Amino acid sequence: MPQVVVKQGSRPPWVGLAAAVWVQFAAGSAYNFPLYSDTLKSVLGFSQQQLTILGVANDIGENVGILPGIACNKFPPWMVLSVGALACFLGFGVLWLAVSQTVQNMPFWILWLALCVATNSNAWFGTAVLVTNMRNFPLSRGTVAGLLKGYVGLSAAMYTEIFGMVLNNSASELLLFLTIGLPIICFAMMYFIRPCTPASVENSYEYGHFLFTQGASVVLSVYLLITTIIDNVFSLSKAVSYTFVAIMAILMLAPLAIPIKMTLFPTTSKKILGPVDSSEQLALDWRESNPTEPLLTPSSSAANLTNLQESDDASDVETLLAIGEGAVKEKRRPKRGEDFKFREALIKADFWLLWLVYFLGVGTGVTVLNNLAQIGYAQGVDDTTILLSIFSFCNFLGRLSGGAISEHFVRSKTIPRTLWMAVTQLIMIVAFLLYAASLSGTLYAATSLLGVCYGVQFAIMIPTASELFGLKHFGIIYNFILLGNPIGAIFFSAWLAGNVYDAEASKQGGSSCYGAACFRLTFLVLACMCGLGTLLSIILTIRIKPVYQMLYAGGSFRIPPSSVH
């Protein structure tokens, strides 16, 4: 990683986390697709098949983050964020020109590319803040990942509120806001998002700070849900609408209360580590601050290391003897829990199991998200913005709770996080069957269940990838796994859902489809895919159980001794 200016002290990481909340709001712009997709279809005369192909572009742009993953190891966060701001301006700018008909008869392929570029800004925004904050808080990975990805999920409800209360439900005005407003937010916040010096040990103050931040995000989510329902039920004046949005902005500032409190009421200083950009460095720094305490507790280390390294014992002993005699220089492949290079991770079975489980979980979920407006119309819902708000609220809860709950059980019971992917994909089967049944009153329940379970997939995948394969090359590894989202959208949304919908619509003699048959076959296939995902999640959980027994043997995160050479 390049040499960068590292901010010293205990407050800057929390300032950066507070700024990251606003950047994560910008990183959720892809969730706006259901808000302007119907206008794209009507104004530009697209079929549902064309619209779902644009939905795939939306997902490809959002999740193809290989370049941001590489860039975050070579450039400071502000440069990565600047690229995202430029992509946001150019991409959404072209879409605004088309929807506002400032430029007419724009070719479909240009709109497709513009949507890819626009939503690819999310990958640059999200990678910059996630990698930076995971390194600033290396001992609380699950909590940080769940919190930051939770705000991304919550951003859909924020956009819905702005769309309805300030922008008069105008797709053209929304796209103009995305074109100009989001880059401004990014440029305003990028100074505060920088590598900082993390604390060497966990403490009750940090736990309390995270608890406050999580509580503030829950308050914001409940507020958004209530105000969105009020806006749908009552006709609000402009003054009331603007007041609601202003309060929303104030609630987004809540995490800033932590560094303010730390300034006004400082606590006893504690040892601060250097900047952490790898698991090996974290292990070295931890050993320096804890010279007499072993990284693994004696009661469990022997058994756990035996499970992990049984097949390598003989060769390791020979290698160590040769090293001691000066015959060879130590060089070996990393073991799970250490820092992997990207190409080293690619040959691990656990990497591809995690990729497949994530692909099946989010690929099926994003199919519903991309077609949520059409699903609502097909089942007789005139205003689908409330569906998007419900999905956003529950998606946020899934991301936040997925990080927090998995963090609790991994520390107290050393239960691998991937168990929760299995549980939630099992629940997703129920949600898809409810959609397929199309019974009265089940649409909102199914959307709520799916939103929670969809959010959990993100919150679990991120810390799991960092724990199995390390922080050093986390950016590119994490972004490669994210490719499961757009690939799932291509298979399940564009090819499956789009074709099934258009076939049913043609039977009804029009371009729009109404009734349960529009998506029934799609939902049944998605339920089967989640069944496969559940099985693979269980297999992965069994395989990586010894890794978590080693990493969390003492009730908190530990690096394997072999990480330090």
Side-chain angles (χ1 to χ4, degrees):
M1 191 174 179
Q3 292 296 320
V4 294
V5 177
V6 179
K7 197 71 175 175
Q8 301 292 324
S10 58
R11 288 189 302 275
W14 293 100
V15 174
L17 187 64
V21 166
W22 286 83
V23 177
Q24 291 295 73
F25 164 71
S29 61
Y31 288 115
N32 284 292
F33 186 72
L35 295 179
Y36 60 81
S37 61
D38 199 52
T39 302
L40 279 174
K41 185 177 181 181
S42 59
V43 172
L44 303 178
F46 292 152
S47 67
Q48 183 64 25
Q49 178 71 15
Q50 288 176 305
L51 195 64
T52 54
I53 292 174
L54 284 176
V56 171
N58 187 75
D59 297 319
I60 289 175
E62 180 187 15
N63 294 283
V64 176
I66 300 299
L67 285 179
I70 296 172
C72 71
N73 268 11
K74 297 182 179 295
F75 303 104
W78 69 266
M79 291 187 67
V80 180
L81 291 170
S82 296
V83 175
L86 180 62
C88 184
F89 176 78
L90 293 176
F92 283 118
V94 171
L95 291 174
W96 174 77
L97 291 174
V99 170
S100 64
Q101 297 188 303
T102 303
V103 176
Q104 297 186 349
N105 301 319
M106 193 174 291
F108 180 81
W109 67 269
I110 291 182
L111 290 175
W112 194 91
L113 286 177
L115 190 52
C116 278
V117 171
T119 54
N120 191 240
S121 65
N122 297 355
W124 293 88
F125 293 153
T127 300
V129 299
L130 188 61
V131 171
T132 302
N133 281 279
M134 291 275 279
R135 289 171 175 171
N136 288 347
F137 298 97
L139 304 179
S140 303
R141 304 180 191 189
T143 304
V144 170
L147 185 65
L148 290 178
K149 297 305 286 188
Y151 272 103
V152 175
L154 198 57
S155 65
M158 300 181 199
Y159 286 119
T160 301
E161 187 140 314
I162 294 171
F163 180 68
M165 296 184 181
V166 177
L167 303 178
N168 305 308
N169 294 307
S170 168
S172 177
E173 291 184 18
L174 174 63
L175 288 169
L176 184 61
F177 168 74
L178 298 177
T179 302
I180 299 174
L182 299 191
I184 290 175
I185 290 173
C186 179
F187 284 124
M189 296 296 156
M190 65 169 58
Y191 171 78
F192 305 102
I193 299 170
R194 56 174 64 186
C196 299
T197 52
S200 61
V201 293
E202 296 168 306
N203 59 78
S204 59
Y205 293 108
E206 184 169 285
Y207 174 78
H209 294 160
F210 277 122
L211 199 60
F212 170 81
T213 308
Q214 291 169 327
S217 65
V218 171
V219 170
L220 175 60
S221 67
V222 173
Y223 171 81
L224 288 169
L225 184 63
I226 293 173
T227 52
T228 301
I229 293 173
I230 291 174
D231 184 49
N232 277 270
V233 174
F234 303 102
S235 179
L236 303 178
S237 66
K238 282 295 180 184
V240 174
S241 296
Y242 290 156
T243 301
F244 280 169
V245 174
I247 294 173
M248 178 191 77
I250 293 171
L251 290 174
M252 287 181 65
L253 290 170
L256 195 59
I258 294 171
I260 292 175
K261 174 254 181 184
M262 296 173 74
T263 302
L264 298 177
F265 306 100
T267 57
T268 304
S269 62
K270 52 184 177 291
K271 177 175 172 57
I272 300 295
L273 300 178
V276 171
D277 62 356
S278 68
S279 294
E280 280 93 343
Q281 185 172 348
L282 179 59
L284 285 168
D285 290 337
W286 191 90
R287 278 190 169 184
E288 289 175 3
S289 62
N290 299 270
T292 61
E293 185 177 343
L295 289 176
L296 290 173
T297 57
S299 61
S300 59
S301 58
N304 295 329
L305 288 174
T306 298
N307 290 334
L308 283 173
Q309 303 173 359
E310 192 173 73
S311 61
D312 299 326
D313 279 350
S315 60
D316 283 354
V317 169
E318 293 171 1
T319 302
L320 288 172
L321 288 173
I323 292 170
E325 296 169 359
V328 298
K329 183 179 180 180
E330 181 179 12
K331 185 177 180 180
R332 63 170 181 80
R333 291 180 179 176
K335 294 181 174 63
R336 295 174 300 179
E338 300 174 14
D339 286 311
F340 280 70
K341 294 179 180 178
F342 177 58
R343 63 177 179 271
E344 292 171 334
L346 283 177
I347 62 174
K348 302 299 290 185
D350 293 334
F351 177 86
W352 289 107
L353 277 172
L354 181 60
W355 192 94
L356 283 171
V357 170
Y358 179 79
F359 160 74
L360 293 169
V362 300
T364 54
V366 79
T367 300
V368 173
L369 180 60
N370 286 349
N371 296 277
L372 195 56
Q374 287 70 38
I375 292 170
Y377 293 140
Q379 298 196 21
V381 176
D382 295 326
D383 186 359
T384 58
T385 56
I386 187 65
L387 276 178
L388 182 61
S389 292
I390 291 174
F391 186 93
S392 173
F393 174 75
C394 294
N395 183 20
F396 158 76
L397 288 182
R399 294 179 184 221
L400 185 68
S401 61
I405 292 174
S406 69
E407 191 78 13
H408 170 75
F409 280 98
V410 81
R411 291 172 182 272
S412 62
K413 305 292 185 182
T414 65
I415 295 176
R417 300 181 194 271
T418 49
L419 176 65
W420 304 105
M421 297 181 86
V423 171
T424 50
Q425 290 198 30
L426 195 61
I427 298 173
M428 288 174 75
I429 296 174
V430 176
F432 288 130
L433 293 178
L434 287 175
Y435 277 122
S438 190
L439 301 174
S440 177
T442 60
L443 177 61
Y444 296 104
T447 302
S448 300
L449 285 175
L450 188 68
V452 171
C453 297
Y454 179 74
V456 169
Q457 310 305 308
F458 290 91
I460 298 300
M461 180 275 288
I462 295 168
T464 300
S466 76
E467 287 159 343
L468 292 180
F469 307 112
L471 283 172
K472 191 170 186 178
H473 300 282
F474 168 71
I476 187 170
I477 291 172
Y478 152 72
N479 276 293
F480 185 86
I481 298 175
L482 278 185
L483 290 175
N485 192 312
I487 293 174
I490 292 172
F491 282 104
F492 303 132
S493 184
W495 291 355
L496 177 62
N499 284 317
V500 170
Y501 182 95
D502 283 342
E504 291 297 331
S506 64
K507 292 179 183 178
Q508 297 179 12
S511 60
S512 297
C513 180
Y514 300 95
C518 301
F519 289 97
R520 178 171 288 147
L521 177 60
T522 299
F523 291 136
L524 293 176
V525 172
L526 297 183
C528 293
M529 293 299 99
C530 282
L532 176 60
T534 302
L535 178 61
L536 293 177
S537 301
I538 294 172
I539 294 172
L540 177 60
T541 300
I542 294 171
R543 284 179 56 88
I544 64 177
K545 174 69 173 174
V547 182
Y548 279 85
Q549 289 175 333
M550 178 184 67
L551 293 178
Y552 291 93
S556 59
F557 188 81
R558 296 288 186 271
I559 301 297
S562 54
S563 293
V564 186
H565 306 311

